[in-house]
Structure formats: structure tokens, C-alpha cells
Amino acid sequence: YVGSFEEFGFFQKNEKNELLYYSLKHLIKDFTLYNDEVWTINKLGNLVFFQTFSSYFIYNELDNSLKAEKPYPAPLYFFKVHDNLYAQFINEHFYIFDGVQFQLLLTRDKLNNDNVVSVLPFNNELYLVTTNSGIFSYNPISKNLSHRKTAIDNELKSETVNRGVILSDSTFVLGTLNNGLYALKTDGTVLWRLNRDNGLYNNTVLGLFNDEDKNLWATLDNGVSYIQ
């Protein structure tokens, strides 16, 4: 599945093993794509979510149908965790998809009026990484929510956290928009920091990925960094 400017669809191989593109745009009903960029795609069972900066589309693989949604406020991020899809809406609340629509899970005031930028599963809980308020742990069973104190909580108030990932040794890595990477132990103490001062190519982290060889990749505003 792929997305681009005012366009989205999928590539599929033919009998010659060539990738052919098939657009899904024609399935849109009563909706006009206008300056919309499809910039994230998430798959939940047979449903595929194509997200733009102002809307999202749900494609059903089983019946080849497409549903267009243009909520206000618009979704900021979708998070696929195990068999669930969570959503943070722009400057609003935190939701979970129930198979038909998004249902309210946590009101914004419970997260210090902040946005969730990453959802990390850990020890049967969800660690909710926020922009400026650090990390919250949420138990989907008990519904308990608590703030996880870290050694950099005060620093994070002035930073802009943009991404988070858990490494294979249970290290939490936070990527910021202005000061590179922070690595934390599960008790909240700092393991290491990486920014332009000590080797990171760029201070703006736009993506984090943990590979099968236990290395970390950071996609940056300019370039990609590989951390062993």
C-alpha cells in the first residue's frame, strides 16, 4: 500500500513479477481530495487506514469498499499496537478504534493537556510518550493511568518529543525535534544521549526503528543515523 499527493492505492505483482500500481482513489464518494498528502498507512486486520493531514480513509480488503472521514479536529497520529489501533487527534483526546469507529479512551486533561506521539507496549501496559510531559503508563485491563517519572522530565518540558521506541534490552529511546535522542532505563535514569554535539548528523528526529540485529535507526530532518 502506498500514498502520495492526492493519491493512494497499492502495488501488486503480475505474472511477469512486475509491480503494477492500482489506485483506490476512484472509490472515494462525496469527498474531494484537495492539497491532501497521504502520509501514513496502518493496517488493522482487513482494514487499511490512509491518513492525510486533515482526513483519513478506511479501505476494506474484503469487499473493496472505501470510507472517507474528515473529523474536526483531524487525527495527528495513528498507532498500531498488537491488534489495536489508537489515535491521537490534534490538540484533543486519545482514542481506540472499536472496529467501526474511534471511541474515547483518555481525555486530554488526564495527559497533562498534551499530545501522545508514541504508544509503546511494555509488560502488559502501554507507555504513552507525550510531546512535553514525559511518559505515562496505561493498563488496558485495569484502566489505570500513571505518570512515569524520569531523570529528564524537566528537560522534556522545553524539548519537543516526536517519536519513541523500545529496544530489545528494554531501553526506551525518545527522539526530539530539537535535541536528538535520549535513551532511558526502565527506572527512568539516562543511559545515553545523542545529538549533533556527539555524533548525530541532525538534531531533528522524524522516525525511529529497531532492527532485527538490535540496532537503532533514526530518520532525521536531513539524513539517516545508525546507532549500534
Side-chain angles (χ1 to χ4, degrees):
Y1 289 102
V2 295
S4 63
F5 179 73
E6 295 186 357
E7 177 62 54
F8 58 94
F10 60 92
F11 282 100
Q12 192 170 56
K13 290 182 179 180
N14 63 11
E15 65 278 1
K16 297 180 181 179
N17 212 34
E18 299 169 327
L19 281 173
L20 301 181
Y21 178 69
Y22 297 88
S23 177
L24 294 173
K25 184 177 178 179
H26 66 281
L27 296 176
I28 298 176
K29 307 297 183 187
D30 302 320
F31 187 95
T32 301
L33 281 168
Y34 181 73
N35 285 337
D36 283 313
E37 182 88 30
V38 176
W39 71 287
T40 67
I41 302 172
N42 286 274
K43 193 171 187 296
L44 184 68
N46 59 283
L47 301 179
V48 185
F49 293 74
F50 296 90
Q51 181 188 356
T52 76
F53 291 103
S54 62
S55 59
Y56 63 94
F57 305 91
I58 306 176
Y59 173 65
N60 191 320
E61 295 177 315
L62 297 182
D63 60 12
N64 195 41
S65 64
L66 188 75
K67 183 180 180 183
E69 298 283 358
K70 193 176 179 66
Y72 184 82
L76 178 64
Y77 294 119
F78 288 151
F79 311 99
K80 169 74 181 303
V81 181
H82 302 315
D83 295 325
N84 288 309
L85 187 70
Y86 301 90
Q88 170 67 57
F89 284 71
I90 296 176
N91 295 325
E92 214 229 12
H93 308 307
F94 188 69
Y95 294 81
I96 183 172
F97 188 72
D98 67 359
V100 179
Q101 60 188 355
F102 283 97
Q103 298 287 349
L104 178 64
L105 190 62
L106 295 168
T107 55
R108 187 172 179 80
D109 60 291
K110 294 181 179 179
L111 297 166
N112 199 34
N113 291 313
D114 210 342
N115 290 320
V116 175
V117 296
S118 280
V119 179
L120 309 175
F122 184 73
N123 285 350
N124 298 318
E125 293 189 322
L126 298 176
Y127 277 50
L128 310 179
V129 181
T130 63
T131 303
N132 298 111
S133 305
I135 302 172
F136 293 81
S137 63
Y138 175 73
N139 189 308
I141 305 299
S142 67
K143 311 300 182 185
N144 182 59
L145 178 72
S146 61
H147 185 262
R148 304 287 297 186
K149 292 184 178 180
T150 75
I152 58 171
D153 280 348
N154 287 332
E155 294 179 54
L156 294 181
K157 292 177 183 178
S158 59
E159 302 286 3
T160 302
V161 178
N162 189 47
R163 291 291 185 270
V165 71
I166 300 179
L167 306 185
S168 57
D169 61 355
S170 298
T171 298
F172 288 80
V173 179
L174 306 182
T176 71
L177 289 180
N178 47 7
N179 200 19
L181 299 168
Y182 293 86
L184 305 171
K185 294 182 180 179
T186 53
D187 63 4
T189 57
V190 178
L191 268 177
W192 47 262
R193 308 172 189 224
L194 276 179
N195 52 39
R196 287 193 65 179
D197 294 334
N198 63 346
L200 201 66
Y201 190 70
N202 184 276
N203 274 341
T204 301
V205 179
L206 300 178
L208 291 172
F209 178 73
N210 185 23
D211 69 23
E212 293 180 352
D213 296 318
K214 303 180 181 180
N215 301 302
L216 177 67
W217 296 79
T219 56
L220 311 173
D221 187 47
N222 185 6
V224 178
S225 284
Y226 165 70
I227 299 101
Q228 292 182 326

